[in-house]
Amino acid sequence: MEHEGRLKAALADRYTIEREIGRGGMATVYLAQDQKHERQVAVKVLNPELAQSLGAERFLREIKTAANLTHPHILPVFDSGEADCFLFYVMPYVEGESLRSRLAKEKQLPLEDAIRITREIADALASAHRKGVIHRDVKPANIMLEEGHAVLADFGVAHAVAEARDERITRTGTSLGSPAYMSPEQATGEKDLDGRSDQYALGCVLYEMLAGQPPFAGPTGESVVRQHLTAQPPSLNQLRPSIPAGIAAAVTQALSKSPADRYRTTAEMAAALALTTTPVHPRMPWGTRWFVIPAALVGFVILIGVGVWSLLGNRAPRVSRPGQMAQLTFDPGLEVDPAISPDGNWVAYVWWPEWSPDGTKIMFQASGAIYVIPALGGVPPQRVVDRPSSGVTEPSEPSVSGAGSATWSPDGSQISYTVSDTIFLASSDGSGPREVAIDFEPHSLRWSPDGSRLAFVSGNELYVLGTAHLANGAPSAIRVLSLTDGSLVTQTDQERVYQSPLWLPSGDRLLFLSNEGGARDVYEVQLN
């Protein structure tokens, strides 16, 4: 109580501590009232021995890094500091429960819930990894469930502990990471960890959600760590026979002892889980069933008839009355990012598809690569951009995955795409990729009608991709790149949110969305 009383007094000018809501090996969590913003928050206070070992400077540096991570599935950091020898940081108060609490009640989760939670956390980790930040302590207690979605907490703290791992921390008994979810390379004390270490931990979490127990258990942390280094976990299908073979294989790959045998990124892991849970319809003759593209990546792109044309071949066309809705597809949860073919007869969906201008091909994105496939299938997808990179020599993960991050030229001969802050062009067969411009977070690429210029949004990538907690987004700009001389011209100011540039057929004007007037509206600009 004396400890809590000192804490209340130290934070009294900023936060009103109400009660303790959680306690772990590294910190104690309190529910508090943020006096300035009149909201409930969670204040996490490091245990005194650990705080002394870390030191304020190291701790605050790592928390600052974590505070700069912005993603819908990463719990943001509101504040941090030192007060009366207490090291603390402040996060939103999540009214839901932790994944640990849910597992304590249910033991095994429904397959759909387990895969959704894993894919959301994998997406959060992929975003952090692209910025060079490794979590190091992915576990059910650090995954919060709020309104049906998962958010990952505690970025930064584990890395601070790693930097300060010395005799003082050994004396306090503080462990780095959690033995049940610790990768072999982290367990052996390797310093240069990468995102594949977090992937291993997430694989352990998924294993537990499906099997009802972690991959390894034992009487001591040391015995569990030893199993991570040398043993193979029990087969998922033995513990839960209903688990699809593809899911079990994906978990096994994520839990490989060697990082080189795992998925290259957590984004690839998420894509593999999506693929293995996609129902594959049997291929039927035209006129009787929908056509499903057969390929190594089957399930990524599905074509169906749409509009006033018959969905089922020679049946009578559908006729809709005003206000009447008709369901056109029946795949569970896959119908996103639809793209209509140039002739209006077909729609492709899933993984940001885009039709070639002549309607004969479809481009789509998955696992950090760009694929092209004939519109009516018949051959596997061709990987035309394989983990593109600046200079086209050193592999890196594209920073944008979404509509407009890869798009056809008007004549279909080239593809433009972005990698981090760089815009590239490649021929439609993937040959000859070249860097054409460097800008800040370029996205939403749009070719001019004559193919001589590219319009795009510079900045504010996360707002366009739907980050929920950015109320108004960050400033951005509409820019136009000349592909003939490489010049870049800014067409708007850089004080507002701009989205979705669209060329008028004349090629001398652009339409776009902006919050110039407070709410988002459509604007027009005459090109400079």
Side-chain angles (χ1 to χ4, degrees):
M1 293 301 293
E2 178 185 354
H3 176 91
E4 186 173 326
R6 283 180 51 216
L7 177 65
K8 288 181 177 180
L11 299 180
D13 60 332
R14 298 156 68 183
Y15 303 102
T16 302
I17 303 295
E18 296 183 359
R19 57 184 172 87
E20 180 181 318
I21 57 175
R23 182 182 293 267
M26 292 195 299
T28 303
V29 188
Y30 297 91
L31 176 64
Q33 185 74 18
D34 181 344
Q35 297 177 7
K36 180 178 180 180
H37 300 99
E38 297 183 351
R39 61 185 176 185
Q40 284 188 318
V41 294
V43 177
K44 202 156 192 174
V45 182
L46 292 195
N47 295 340
E49 297 85 358
L50 178 58
Q52 183 178 2
S53 298
L54 291 178
E57 182 178 354
R58 177 185 289 115
F59 169 75
L60 295 176
R61 181 177 69 245
E62 295 300 332
I63 291 298
K64 182 178 180 180
T65 299
N68 284 307
L69 296 176
T70 306
H71 189 276
H73 299 295
I74 293 178
L75 196 65
V77 175
F78 285 159
D79 189 16
S80 62
E82 179 184 17
D84 191 15
C85 298
F86 294 107
L87 297 181
F88 69 93
Y89 58 105
V90 182
M91 304 171 294
Y93 172 61
V94 178
E95 294 188 0
E97 61 181 348
S98 70
L99 177 58
R100 169 53 59 218
S101 297
R102 183 172 177 186
L103 286 171
K105 293 183 297 185
E106 301 181 32
K107 193 174 182 180
Q108 294 181 345
L109 300 192
L111 176 64
E112 295 79 6
D113 288 1
I115 299 304
R116 174 183 51 77
I117 290 169
T118 303
R119 293 185 63 201
E120 290 177 346
I121 298 304
D123 192 37
L125 288 169
S127 177
H129 296 163
R130 286 194 292 265
K131 296 176 174 65
V133 180
I134 311 301
H135 190 285
R136 297 173 180 259
D137 197 19
V138 178
K139 59 185 179 182
N142 283 337
I143 297 174
M144 304 303 296
L145 306 177
E146 183 178 29
E147 297 183 354
H149 294 284
V151 290
L152 184 59
D154 278 5
F155 268 99
V157 176
H159 190 264
V161 174
E163 283 200 342
R165 183 172 49 191
D166 55 19
E167 291 182 1
R168 291 175 297 170
I169 288 186
T170 302
R171 288 199 303 268
T172 66
T174 302
S175 62
L176 172 61
S178 302
Y181 313 95
M182 190 180 296
S183 70
E185 61 269 28
Q186 186 176 3
T188 55
E190 291 187 20
K191 293 182 178 181
D192 297 326
L193 299 179
D194 60 25
R196 293 171 296 182
S197 178
D198 284 344
Q199 179 191 145
Y200 183 95
L202 182 59
C204 292
V205 173
L206 175 56
Y207 185 104
E208 183 174 357
M209 287 191 286
L210 296 174
Q213 64 185 48
F216 304 110
T220 64
E222 290 78 3
S223 67
V224 174
V225 167
R226 189 162 49 250
Q227 293 176 74
H228 281 295
L229 296 174
T230 62
Q232 294 299 322
S235 167
L236 267 176
N237 291 119
Q238 290 180 351
L239 298 173
R240 190 171 171 183
S242 62
I243 298 298
I247 296 296
V251 175
T252 298
Q253 183 167 347
L255 293 180
S256 298
K257 303 300 183 188
S258 170
D261 293 332
R262 300 171 201 155
Y263 295 101
R264 291 179 293 181
T265 65
T266 57
E268 286 195 4
M269 177 184 175
L273 291 171
L275 178 60
T276 54
T277 54
T278 298
V280 179
H281 299 288
R283 186 171 181 177
M284 297 291 185
W286 287 101
T288 57
R289 289 297 301 264
W290 302 335
F291 183 86
V292 183
I293 290 178
L297 297 176
V298 65
F300 275 175
V301 181
I302 301 172
L303 303 181
I304 60 170
V306 66
V308 297
W309 289 268
S310 172
L311 284 175
L312 301 178
N314 50 19
R315 291 190 184 181
R318 291 174 181 255
V319 178
S320 297
R321 297 187 301 273
Q324 180 187 37
M325 296 188 300
Q327 183 174 352
L328 301 181
T329 68
F330 300 86
D331 288 283
L334 291 177
E335 294 84 344
V336 294
D337 303 300
I340 299 175
S341 63
D343 64 4
N345 284 333
W346 303 92
V347 60
Y349 55 90
V350 182
W351 303 105
W352 306 288
E354 181 167 325
W355 294 80
S356 62
D358 62 4
T360 62
K361 302 175 183 176
I362 295 174
M363 173 174 60
F364 62 99
Q365 301 168 66
S367 302
I370 300 171
Y371 296 83
V372 171
I373 191 169
L376 298 183
V379 298
Q382 178 187 4
R383 191 165 179 153
V384 297
V385 177
D386 188 357
R387 297 173 60 80
S389 64
S390 60
V392 202
T393 54
E394 297 296 329
S396 64
E397 188 73 4
S399 64
V400 180
S401 291
S405 64
T407 186
W408 297 94
S409 63
D411 63 2
S413 66
Q414 298 185 88
I415 292 172
S416 62
Y417 59 92
T418 62
V419 180
S420 298
D421 291 336
T422 306
I423 300 174
F424 288 86
L425 293 185
S427 66
S428 58
D429 63 2
S431 63
R434 61 187 178 92
E435 175 185 314
V436 293
I438 296 177
D439 207 320
F440 176 63
E441 292 183 350
H443 58 88
S444 303
L445 306 180
R446 293 291 180 267
W447 291 78
S448 64
D450 64 0
S452 67
R453 291 166 292 172
L454 276 174
F456 63 96
V457 179
S458 172
N460 207 20
E461 170 196 29
L462 290 174
Y463 180 69
V464 175
L465 295 181
T467 301
H469 59 266
L470 289 178
N472 296 310
S476 55
I478 302 290
R479 307 193 73 183
V480 172
L481 166 67
S482 170
L483 298 176
T484 56
D485 61 14
S487 60
L488 272 172
V489 179
T490 302
Q491 303 293 340
T492 65
D493 63 34
Q494 300 181 58
E495 301 176 357
R496 306 286 188 271
V497 172
Y498 298 99
Q499 293 177 255
S500 309
L502 181 67
W503 292 88
L504 271 66
S506 61
D508 62 348
R509 287 176 293 165
L510 285 170
L511 299 182
F512 55 91
L513 295 177
S514 176
N515 65 349
E516 176 82 22
R520 276 181 290 177
D521 290 294
V522 178
Y523 288 80
E524 180 187 54
V525 63
Q526 182 79 31
L527 298 186
N528 297 324

